[in-house]
mmCIF file of all heavy atoms in Angstrom:
data_model
loop_
_atom_site.group_PDB
_atom_site.id
_atom_site.type_symbol
_atom_site.label_atom_id
_atom_site.label_comp_id
_atom_site.label_asym_id
_atom_site.label_seq_id
_atom_site.Cartn_x
_atom_site.Cartn_y
_atom_site.Cartn_z
ATOM 1 N N ILE A 189 -20.017 -11.286 -13.396
ATOM 2 C CA ILE A 189 -19.299 -10.158 -13.508
ATOM 3 C C ILE A 189 -19.452 -9.466 -14.879
ATOM 4 O O ILE A 189 -19.315 -10.110 -16.028
ATOM 5 C CB ILE A 189 -17.729 -10.407 -13.459
ATOM 6 C CG1 ILE A 189 -17.554 -11.091 -11.941
ATOM 7 C CG2 ILE A 189 -16.926 -9.071 -13.582
ATOM 8 C CD1 ILE A 189 -17.956 -10.318 -10.852
ATOM 9 N N THR A 190 -19.818 -8.187 -14.825
ATOM 10 C CA THR A 190 -19.955 -7.372 -15.994
ATOM 11 C C THR A 190 -18.899 -6.542 -16.507
ATOM 12 O O THR A 190 -18.776 -6.203 -17.772
ATOM 13 C CB THR A 190 -21.249 -6.521 -15.889
ATOM 14 O OG1 THR A 190 -20.956 -5.647 -14.931
ATOM 15 C CG2 THR A 190 -22.427 -7.342 -15.490
ATOM 16 N N HIS A 191 -18.029 -6.054 -15.546
ATOM 17 C CA HIS A 191 -16.951 -5.213 -15.983
ATOM 18 C C HIS A 191 -15.631 -5.787 -15.169
ATOM 19 O O HIS A 191 -15.793 -6.094 -13.894
ATOM 20 C CB HIS A 191 -17.271 -3.831 -15.423
ATOM 21 C CG HIS A 191 -18.265 -3.094 -16.234
ATOM 22 N ND1 HIS A 191 -19.642 -3.546 -16.286
ATOM 23 C CD2 HIS A 191 -18.299 -2.064 -17.096
ATOM 24 C CE1 HIS A 191 -20.324 -2.795 -16.990
ATOM 25 N NE2 HIS A 191 -19.500 -1.950 -17.600
ATOM 26 N N VAL A 192 -14.607 -5.846 -15.865
ATOM 27 C CA VAL A 192 -13.366 -6.155 -15.233
ATOM 28 C C VAL A 192 -12.324 -5.059 -15.304
ATOM 29 O O VAL A 192 -11.937 -4.665 -16.435
ATOM 30 C CB VAL A 192 -12.806 -7.446 -15.974
ATOM 31 C CG1 VAL A 192 -11.337 -7.787 -15.376
ATOM 32 C CG2 VAL A 192 -13.612 -8.674 -15.810
ATOM 33 N N ILE A 193 -11.971 -4.462 -14.126
ATOM 34 C CA ILE A 193 -11.304 -3.370 -13.955
ATOM 35 C C ILE A 193 -9.907 -3.847 -13.393
ATOM 36 O O ILE A 193 -9.969 -4.289 -12.195
ATOM 37 C CB ILE A 193 -11.798 -2.195 -13.099
ATOM 38 C CG1 ILE A 193 -13.147 -1.894 -13.740
ATOM 39 C CG2 ILE A 193 -10.916 -1.026 -13.061
ATOM 40 C CD1 ILE A 193 -14.013 -1.040 -12.852
ATOM 41 N N ARG A 194 -8.764 -3.783 -13.921
ATOM 42 C CA ARG A 194 -7.569 -4.353 -13.392
ATOM 43 C C ARG A 194 -6.405 -3.651 -14.076
ATOM 44 O O ARG A 194 -6.471 -2.849 -15.092
ATOM 45 C CB ARG A 194 -7.496 -5.876 -13.751
ATOM 46 C CG ARG A 194 -7.644 -6.227 -15.166
ATOM 47 C CD ARG A 194 -7.681 -7.789 -15.341
ATOM 48 N NE ARG A 194 -7.731 -8.147 -16.718
ATOM 49 C CZ ARG A 194 -7.853 -9.413 -17.169
ATOM 50 N NH1 ARG A 194 -8.065 -10.304 -16.274
ATOM 51 N NH2 ARG A 194 -7.911 -9.761 -18.562
ATOM 52 N N ALA A 195 -5.146 -3.964 -13.662
ATOM 53 C CA ALA A 195 -3.860 -3.400 -14.257
ATOM 54 C C ALA A 195 -3.671 -3.789 -15.693
ATOM 55 O O ALA A 195 -4.115 -5.008 -15.995
ATOM 56 C CB ALA A 195 -2.780 -3.762 -13.355
ATOM 57 N N GLU A 196 -2.883 -3.054 -16.427
ATOM 58 C CA GLU A 196 -2.580 -3.296 -17.770
ATOM 59 C C GLU A 196 -1.678 -4.572 -18.079
ATOM 60 O O GLU A 196 -1.648 -5.007 -19.136
ATOM 61 C CB GLU A 196 -1.994 -2.113 -18.516
ATOM 62 C CG GLU A 196 -0.603 -1.778 -17.940
ATOM 63 C CD GLU A 196 0.193 -0.598 -18.625
ATOM 64 O OE1 GLU A 196 0.031 -0.581 -19.860
ATOM 65 O OE2 GLU A 196 0.411 0.334 -17.960
ATOM 66 N N GLU A 197 -1.130 -4.945 -17.042
ATOM 67 C CA GLU A 197 -0.305 -6.187 -17.150
ATOM 68 C C GLU A 197 -1.060 -7.454 -17.550
ATOM 69 O O GLU A 197 -0.429 -8.408 -17.997
ATOM 70 C CB GLU A 197 0.411 -6.359 -15.872
ATOM 71 C CG GLU A 197 -0.379 -6.685 -14.649
ATOM 72 C CD GLU A 197 0.331 -6.598 -13.385
ATOM 73 O OE1 GLU A 197 0.584 -5.459 -12.910
ATOM 74 O OE2 GLU A 197 0.553 -7.546 -12.657
ATOM 75 N N HIS A 198 -2.403 -7.289 -17.335
ATOM 76 C CA HIS A 198 -3.298 -8.392 -17.617
ATOM 77 C C HIS A 198 -3.758 -8.386 -18.970
ATOM 78 O O HIS A 198 -4.513 -9.298 -19.561
ATOM 79 C CB HIS A 198 -4.401 -8.546 -16.721
ATOM 80 C CG HIS A 198 -4.035 -8.738 -15.258
ATOM 81 N ND1 HIS A 198 -3.618 -9.993 -14.889
ATOM 82 C CD2 HIS A 198 -4.066 -7.930 -14.133
ATOM 83 C CE1 HIS A 198 -3.345 -9.780 -13.497
ATOM 84 N NE2 HIS A 198 -3.546 -8.677 -13.117
ATOM 85 N N LEU A 199 -3.477 -7.200 -19.840
ATOM 86 C CA LEU A 199 -4.046 -7.088 -20.999
ATOM 87 C C LEU A 199 -3.665 -8.134 -22.109
ATOM 88 O O LEU A 199 -4.413 -8.632 -22.931
ATOM 89 C CB LEU A 199 -3.622 -5.708 -21.614
ATOM 90 C CG LEU A 199 -4.195 -5.184 -22.992
ATOM 91 C CD1 LEU A 199 -5.707 -5.286 -23.106
ATOM 92 C CD2 LEU A 199 -3.731 -3.924 -23.367
ATOM 93 N N PRO A 200 -2.287 -8.671 -22.098
ATOM 94 C CA PRO A 200 -2.059 -9.675 -23.065
ATOM 95 C C PRO A 200 -2.737 -10.978 -22.889
ATOM 96 O O PRO A 200 -2.939 -11.679 -23.771
ATOM 97 C CB PRO A 200 -0.510 -9.946 -22.707
ATOM 98 C CG PRO A 200 0.006 -8.639 -22.046
ATOM 99 C CD PRO A 200 -1.206 -8.109 -21.312
#
Side-chain angles (χ1 to χ4, degrees):
I189 301 304
T190 63
H191 292 67
V192 174
I193 304 166
R194 60 188 182 180
E196 66 176 311
E197 63 198 73
H198 298 288
L199 183 59

